Amino acid sequence: MNLPTVCVDGVVQRWEDLRLQDFAQGFFFGAGFFTTFRIDAGRPLFLARHLARLRASLAAFPTAVRAPEPALLHEDAVRDSLRRGLEADPLMGARFTGVGKLAVSDGHVLCTFRPLAPDLEALHREGRTLDSVEAGAYRRAERTVNHKGLAWFRQHALLPRLPVITNEADEVCELPTANLFVQFDGALVTPPLAAPCLPGIARAVLLEVGPLEGLPVVERALPLADLSRVQACFFSNAVALAVGVPHLLGRALPDSLRLAERARAVLEARALHEG
Amino acid sequence: MNLPTVCVDGVVQRWEDLRLQDFAQGFFFGAGFFTTFRIDAGRPLFLARHLARLRASLAAFPTAVRAPEPALLHEDAVRDSLRRGLEADPLMGARFTGVGKLAVSDGHVLCTFRPLAPDLEALHREGRTLDSVEAGAYRRAERTVNHKGLAWFRQHALLPRLPVITNEADEVCELPTANLFVQFDGALVTPPLAAPCLPGIARAVLLEVGPLEGLPVVERALPLADLSRVQACFFSNAVALAVGVPHLLGRALPDSLRLAERARAVLEARALHEG
């Protein structure tokens, strides 16, 4: 899945040359964190935010994960390392568009690259139906869910079905790999971090930028039962940015695609602005 | 931490030669399972049980984890592969006493070895105080807790403190790396798998073998509050077998050491019997 060129601690290497030994705590215990981001024509989107989240996760678990030298997670160092990785690989090049991943474990920073999923345009055009719920899979304020850890198996195992994950109070948390936004009661509502859910980069940007099509964007506890009354729905992540949900748990929500398109436009504009 | 010789899919290799690429799903997503067991003078204890648990975990998540060829997890094949690994390493040899670990991910079976912790004898002699609780960290019937997954970060992060983990109903579940047994109301009580807790190998053997010092061994929901009334306590895992808890959440339980010693004797005898 990964392209053949990677960077480890800023040094360009070949994926096939990396040793398991150097990432043993990440492998055996999931003791590490990662983040996945979009690269547009060589430019990583929201890189500073992704790095800030990685640093926050390392700070939250100072003994359980061996952090890399702080300089290795500075924005300029990572940007430079990504650039050299792209330029070193004839399959990518300086103007590569695709997906980057930063994984941090065992004192190392690993950057890998892969192409965009071929169906991303269709996903943007047609949206994605959500038709199942994983009830009570999270508990409120569960701490590890707020960090994108290498121990990501609970979410990984749910990915093919993409259920709406709820907590023990039947409140909506997130999707396995995305935050959820719904148009409801005159606002664009997304669950609070304590639901719990991942502090997604696109989610944070949408909350900061503010009203979308006149709808204030707010964090608010979202009972699963309320999904039967929402007017539109999309989900967000750092790669697809925003994807409309034209069918949510059996209800048709035709306005979802347009709302997701507006959210994508906001995210793309903001990414340009942040450089 | 690992000794230099390992086996992958039955082939003896050097730990430093393994490639991250071959274990990528285990590393990035915690998509795999592991088990850790004692090796006494070259003999892996309860190997058939450890393999049965690995196979059950693979069967429980058939799409999320790429299983190895079934033959690679047959008892004879693994026993043979362990033997060849021990004989190949001058630091171990055919009569090695220590710890083995089997990790399964990405279609591979990885066996690694390490020495016994130098303080294991002291741990058996003196026991281990338990003085903290991780309240509500698990929820009842949480499925992934019943499988020893490579996404083991929640437990890994709690290891240094070794708290008693409870669920949302304030019932005892387990310790981060051990099952808990308490003498209470004329029985030796351990929480049920649905608490949830790991189906530990030593735990299963103690339940099967039956009365310990005249106490029937039973699975029963164990409210945290009841710990203030127990008469003795030990914890079990496949490496230390059983460790007494002479101090539990501030209470002295002097009988714990003797009870743990009895449990160890039962486990050692049973391991001999199972060959």
Side-chain angles (χ1 to χ4, degrees):
Chain A
M1 188 165 84
N2 287 334
L3 288 162
T5 296
V6 303
C7 302
V8 178
D9 303 340
V11 179
V12 175
Q13 295 203 47
R14 288 152 53 98
W15 172 226
E16 66 184 33
D17 290 339
L18 302 194
R19 299 185 307 176
L20 181 60
Q21 176 177 256
D22 295 326
F23 301 90
Q25 300 289 302
F27 173 70
F28 282 122
F29 305 117
F33 303 101
F34 73 105
T35 193
T36 306
F37 53 93
R38 175 96 154 253
I39 300 175
D40 271 355
R43 196 170 49 85
L45 270 55
F46 299 119
L47 181 64
R49 291 174 184 263
H50 285 279
L51 293 170
R53 189 174 68 191
L54 280 175
R55 285 191 299 262
S57 292
L58 289 164
F61 293 90
T63 55
V65 177
R66 195 178 138 219
E69 290 297 318
L72 293 173
L73 285 175
H74 283 172
E75 187 184 349
D76 289 349
V78 174
R79 201 174 286 279
D80 187 54
S81 141
L82 291 171
R83 184 183 50 71
R84 283 180 288 111
L86 297 183
E87 287 175 356
D89 192 326
L91 292 173
M92 299 193 290
R95 302 271 303 161
F96 175 70
T97 287
V99 178
K101 178 185 281 205
L102 285 160
V104 174
S105 84
D106 299 78
H108 298 296
V109 179
L110 166 63
C111 312
T112 56
F113 304 96
R114 56 181 163 88
L116 280 179
D119 61 352
L120 186 59
E121 273 187 48
L123 191 67
H124 281 162
R125 198 171 54 242
E126 297 161 20
R128 171 68 145 89
T129 294
L130 300 179
D131 55 13
S132 76
V133 173
E134 189 71 10
Y138 293 165
R139 63 182 178 79
R140 277 175 289 192
E142 186 177 355
R143 190 176 175 220
T144 49
V145 179
N146 292 148
H147 303 275
K148 201 161 178 95
L150 292 175
W152 203 62
F153 185 66
R154 276 195 295 176
Q155 293 87 343
H156 178 75
L158 295 173
L159 262 186
R161 188 157 56 84
L162 212 66
V164 175
I165 299 173
T166 65
N167 64 22
E168 75 279 20
D170 294 322
E171 294 164 344
V172 173
C173 297
E174 64 179 11
L175 303 183
T177 190
N179 292 112
L180 207 66
F181 286 83
V182 294
Q183 180 180 349
F184 181 56
D185 266 357
L188 189 58
V189 176
T190 195
L193 294 185
C197 65
L198 187 80
I201 302 299
R203 173 187 180 279
V205 172
L206 289 171
L207 282 164
E208 278 175 38
V209 169
L212 189 75
E213 299 214 307
L215 300 166
V217 188
V218 297
E219 292 177 285
R220 189 189 297 161
L222 181 62
L224 181 64
D226 285 353
L227 292 190
S228 65
R229 295 161 52 214
V230 306
Q231 294 162 272
C233 174
F234 66 86
F235 58 82
S236 68
N237 66 38
V239 171
L241 300 183
V243 174
V245 178
H247 296 272
L248 175 64
L249 305 178
R251 287 180 64 227
L253 297 175
D255 288 348
S256 296
L257 292 175
R258 194 180 38 78
L259 196 63
E261 197 183 329
R262 284 297 305 140
R264 275 202 304 281
V266 165
L267 290 165
E268 283 164 2
R270 186 74 205 173
L272 270 177
H273 178 77
E274 295 190 11
Chain B
M1 189 165 87
N2 288 335
L3 289 162
T5 296
V6 303
C7 303
V8 178
D9 303 339
V11 179
V12 175
Q13 297 203 45
R14 288 151 54 99
W15 172 227
E16 65 183 36
D17 290 339
L18 302 194
R19 299 185 307 176
L20 181 59
Q21 176 177 254
D22 295 325
F23 301 90
Q25 300 289 301
F27 174 71
F28 282 122
F29 305 116
F33 303 100
F34 74 106
T35 194
T36 306
F37 53 94
R38 176 94 154 254
I39 300 175
D40 272 355
R43 195 169 50 86
L45 271 54
F46 299 118
L47 182 64
R49 292 173 184 264
H50 286 279
L51 293 170
R53 189 173 68 191
L54 281 175
R55 285 191 299 262
S57 293
L58 290 164
F61 293 90
T63 55
V65 177
R66 195 177 137 222
E69 291 296 321
L72 292 173
L73 285 175
H74 283 173
E75 187 183 349
D76 289 348
V78 174
R79 201 174 285 278
D80 187 54
S81 140
L82 292 171
R83 185 183 50 73
R84 282 181 288 113
L86 297 182
E87 287 174 358
D89 192 325
L91 293 172
M92 299 193 290
R95 301 272 302 163
F96 175 70
T97 288
V99 178
K101 179 184 279 203
L102 285 161
V104 174
S105 83
D106 300 79
H108 297 296
V109 178
L110 166 63
C111 313
T112 57
F113 304 96
R114 58 180 163 86
L116 281 179
D119 61 351
L120 186 59
E121 273 187 49
L123 190 67
H124 282 164
R125 198 172 53 242
E126 298 161 19
R128 170 67 145 91
T129 294
L130 298 180
D131 55 12
S132 76
V133 173
E134 188 72 10
Y138 293 166
R139 63 182 178 80
R140 278 175 288 191
E142 186 177 356
R143 189 176 176 221
T144 50
V145 179
N146 291 149
H147 303 276
K148 200 158 179 96
L150 292 174
W152 203 62
F153 185 67
R154 277 195 295 176
Q155 293 87 342
H156 178 76
L158 295 173
L159 262 186
R161 188 158 55 83
L162 212 67
V164 175
I165 298 174
T166 66
N167 64 21
E168 76 278 21
D170 294 321
E171 294 164 344
V172 173
C173 298
E174 64 179 12
L175 303 182
T177 189
N179 292 112
L180 207 67
F181 286 82
V182 294
Q183 180 181 349
F184 180 56
D185 267 356
L188 189 58
V189 176
T190 195
L193 295 184
C197 65
L198 188 79
I201 302 300
R203 173 187 180 279
V205 172
L206 290 171
L207 282 164
E208 278 175 38
V209 169
L212 189 74
E213 299 213 308
L215 301 166
V217 188
V218 297
E219 292 178 285
R220 189 189 300 161
L222 183 62
L224 181 64
D226 285 351
L227 291 189
S228 66
R229 296 161 51 213
V230 306
Q231 293 163 272
C233 174
F234 66 85
F235 57 81
S236 69
N237 66 39
V239 172
L241 300 183
V243 174
V245 179
H247 297 272
L248 175 64
L249 304 179
R251 287 180 65 227
L253 298 174
D255 288 347
S256 295
L257 293 176
R258 194 181 37 80
L259 196 63
E261 198 183 329
R262 285 296 306 139
R264 275 202 304 282
V266 164
L267 290 165
E268 283 164 1
R270 186 75 206 172
L272 270 178
H273 179 77
E274 294 191 11

